Amino acid sequence: MLLAWALAACSPSGSDPADGPVRDAAASASQSARTEVDLRYAYSRIADTGSIDQTISITNPSHDLAAIPTLSFQALDANSDPLSAVSVTTVFGSDKGLVVVPANYEVFDILRFEGTGSERVVDVKVTATAIQTMKDKGTTYPEVDYVDAQGRPAENAWDAHAARVRNPGANGYVVRLVGIHWHQPQAGRSQQARDIAPVGGPVQIDARTEIDIPLSPGSAPFDSLKAYISIE
């Protein structure tokens, strides 16, 4: 079975500021219609040290169905009142139906806030405007390492020659890379993905294989590089 049906899940990669899905965060959530999969959402404004701020986690409790939601977001202040002048967009594209949540998985996306009052965002209301589902079993997140021109391990995205993406699972999928330049906030404020740019195009990775995706060291001011599984 090919998760590049061409659909798949998002996955964190890189080491700056952090890896992994967000857990134990408070959020408001709603869905526009009943679906076969009851997704759960959690927003984290300021994460623990070493983790990513302004993330939305998406949890799929189904044991055999992957979910592909299209989400919309409403920024809320400390009183849970809408901040109508604040626009909310995402880094991976969960607001465009690009993030697939495999069965029995938690994935995340990174939110960006712009407009008057963006510094007052405390929570978000999440609405699934559409959710597609499909049979899924055995999907596993990709593992990502940086390598230099000789194929040796490289520590950071900005001095790597390629990202080595390994799919250890039973399903193939399409992977995209995005470079991020992080805003440096004042103490007590959340860090935002200031500039983002796709690195190359979508790449098909078959089950239990790996592929090196070329990078261009020094060509962009990326503080970190994230890989996620997406539609083509």
Side-chain angles (χ1 to χ4, degrees):
M1 179 175 62
L2 201 61
L3 250 189
W5 296 309
L7 302 165
C10 97
S11 171
S13 79
S15 57
D16 231 343
D19 298 331
V22 179
R23 301 178 186 275
D24 302 324
S28 301
S30 64
Q31 288 190 201
S32 58
R34 294 176 63 88
T35 67
E36 295 178 87
V37 175
D38 186 17
L39 298 178
R40 298 286 188 266
Y41 312 103
Y43 171 65
S44 176
R45 184 174 73 92
I46 299 180
D48 295 335
T49 301
S51 297
I52 302 172
D53 294 343
Q54 295 185 187
T55 53
I56 188 75
S57 65
I58 311 167
T59 302
N60 178 6
S62 173
H63 294 294
D64 59 0
L65 289 175
I68 308 93
T70 300
L71 304 179
S72 66
F73 302 92
Q74 173 67 66
L76 306 175
D77 65 14
N79 297 315
S80 296
D81 293 327
L83 294 165
S84 57
V86 177
S87 64
V88 186
T89 56
T90 69
V91 172
F92 298 149
S94 59
D95 54 341
K96 299 179 176 65
L98 298 181
V99 174
V100 175
V101 190
N104 199 32
Y105 251 109
E106 180 185 74
V107 305
F108 79 99
D109 203 344
I110 304 168
L111 303 185
R112 303 174 75 202
F113 304 112
E114 296 180 290
T116 303
S118 57
E119 74 283 354
R120 295 165 49 208
V121 176
V122 171
D123 199 359
V124 293
K125 178 182 179 181
V126 186
T127 301
T129 59
I131 298 179
Q132 301 178 54
T133 60
M134 58 189 63
K135 290 292 184 181
D136 172 35
K137 200 167 185 178
T139 298
T140 303
Y141 273 18
E143 301 167 357
V144 182
D145 297 302
Y146 301 132
V147 295
D148 64 18
Q150 288 72 45
R152 298 173 301 197
E155 184 175 353
N156 301 305
W158 53 83
D159 58 13
H161 177 77
R164 180 161 293 165
V165 184
R166 184 180 303 104
N167 175 7
N171 299 316
Y173 37 57
V174 170
V175 171
R176 294 178 187 265
L177 299 180
V178 62
I180 303 173
H181 189 193
W182 299 98
H183 170 70
Q184 300 302 317
Q186 297 177 0
R189 294 192 175 181
S190 58
Q191 186 178 52
Q192 173 152 290
R194 189 181 74 186
D195 300 312
I196 60 173
V199 178
V203 177
Q204 174 73 47
I205 303 181
D206 295 333
R208 300 185 179 90
T209 61
E210 65 180 32
I211 189 170
D212 286 356
I213 300 176
L215 307 178
S216 299
S219 64
F222 298 148
D223 297 320
S224 61
L225 187 74
K226 301 298 176 187
Y228 62 101
I229 308 171
S230 180
I231 64 173
E232 240 180 321

